[in-house]
Amino acid sequence: MTIIEIPEGWPADEDAALAVQQELRGRLVLGEEGPGVGEGNVTGVDVAYDDERDLVAAAAVVLDGRSLEVVEEATAVGRVSFPYVPGLLAFREVPTVLAALGRLSADPGLLVCDGYGIAHPRRFGLASHLGVLTDRPAIGVAKNPFTFTYEQPGASRGEFSPLVADGETVGRALRTRAGVKPVFVSVGHRVSLDRACALTLHLSPRFRLPETTRHADALCRRALRDALSTRTL
DNA sequence: GCGACAG
DNA sequence: ATCTTGTCGC
């Protein structure tokens, strides 16, 4: 199996990463409504790590936007390209995720990321970063509130409350399952917040997390396990 | 200065 | 993210 190399010129430290982030932030497109619910494909992306061996496995799983059936899967294994720094998560995941996406033959359609979009210290989280680099609509569905504040949304599925940063609404705490902790949705690129939430609900008919991220999560763990057993090191 | 902090 | 046993429940 080929191990994805870290790209030439990849930021080597936080200052360099911040500069790249600022530059890419200028290409962010907001104000577009985005794909309709049930329209086209939806692709979940996720990664799993083995810090011990400095490896990261990424998965991209394409689902049919209407039936949520799997259309295609792809994986890639790479070297960890950056330490985990809150606010710079994308620099840790992007090279391998792009490699996995590049191995798809189907149209990825909407990108559904495990993390945040513009709900971010500098309004440019993982979902925005991947959206801009691929120029595709993207949303972020995170499992934790990060540094943001929010009021508990109502207990019924579909209820939500604003996710706030510096007095500004940057996303929503959205209840995808009655009585279960909400997920945290934010716009990534070329999708409105209303649409991002409607899509998230459609993608989460049974469990708290969207089917896209559930599939991607299972696949990247599998890919990492396979990579570790297939090689001698 | 210290603590918190997506994955 | 990952380290980790059993256990309660659909």
Side-chain angles (χ1 to χ4, degrees):
Chain A
M1 157 180 284
T2 306
I3 293 194
I4 303 307
E5 297 296 332
I6 297 171
E8 296 296 322
W10 193 250
D13 56 41
E14 294 189 26
D15 288 337
L18 287 169
V20 171
Q21 196 169 72
Q22 179 182 43
E23 191 276 328
L24 292 177
R25 170 73 181 74
R27 290 159 52 183
L28 184 60
V29 175
L30 302 177
E32 280 187 22
E33 211 169 20
V37 172
E39 180 184 316
N41 288 335
V42 291
T43 296
V45 295
D46 194 16
V47 301
Y49 300 99
D50 184 293
D51 291 321
E52 187 76 6
R53 310 198 186 197
D54 203 44
L55 292 178
V56 51
V61 181
V62 183
L63 306 187
D64 175 78
R66 185 183 305 281
S67 66
L68 305 189
E69 287 172 355
V70 176
V71 170
E72 189 183 0
E73 304 180 324
T75 63
V77 176
R79 234 75 225 198
V80 171
S81 53
F82 209 81
Y84 172 65
V85 178
L88 296 177
L89 176 64
F91 293 91
R92 189 168 167 75
E93 315 206 328
V94 156
T96 316
V97 168
L98 288 182
L101 286 171
R103 290 176 176 175
L104 293 172
S105 58
D107 175 358
L110 173 80
L111 261 32
V112 181
C113 305
D114 208 344
Y116 282 106
I118 63 171
H120 178 274
R122 293 168 295 281
R123 305 293 179 270
F124 199 72
L126 175 63
S128 295
H129 201 123
L130 281 174
V132 164
L133 290 182
T134 60
D135 194 30
R136 301 193 156 294
I139 66 174
V141 181
K143 298 182 288 297
N144 299 295
F146 199 15
T147 61
F148 311 116
T149 58
Y150 69 100
E151 303 289 308
Q152 279 311 322
S156 304
R157 167 178 156 87
E159 297 204 76
F160 62 87
S161 57
L163 194 60
V164 177
D166 313 312
E168 172 187 355
T169 292
V170 293
R172 287 177 188 163
L174 175 67
R175 195 85 68 182
T176 51
R177 223 193 147 177
V180 174
K181 175 180 174 175
V183 294
F184 305 91
V185 179
S186 59
V187 165
H189 183 60
R190 300 174 56 171
V191 185
S192 71
L193 182 55
D194 278 340
R195 185 59 57 81
C197 288
L199 288 162
T200 298
L201 281 172
H202 178 68
L203 295 173
S204 317
R206 184 168 157 82
F207 301 105
R208 177 168 87 114
L209 297 178
E211 290 301 305
T212 37
T213 73
R214 288 168 45 78
H215 276 103
D217 179 72
L219 182 57
C220 68
R221 294 188 194 224
R222 205 178 314 147
L224 181 62
R225 176 174 57 65
D226 292 349
L228 293 176
S229 63
T230 300
R231 90 205 342 270
T232 55
L233 269 182

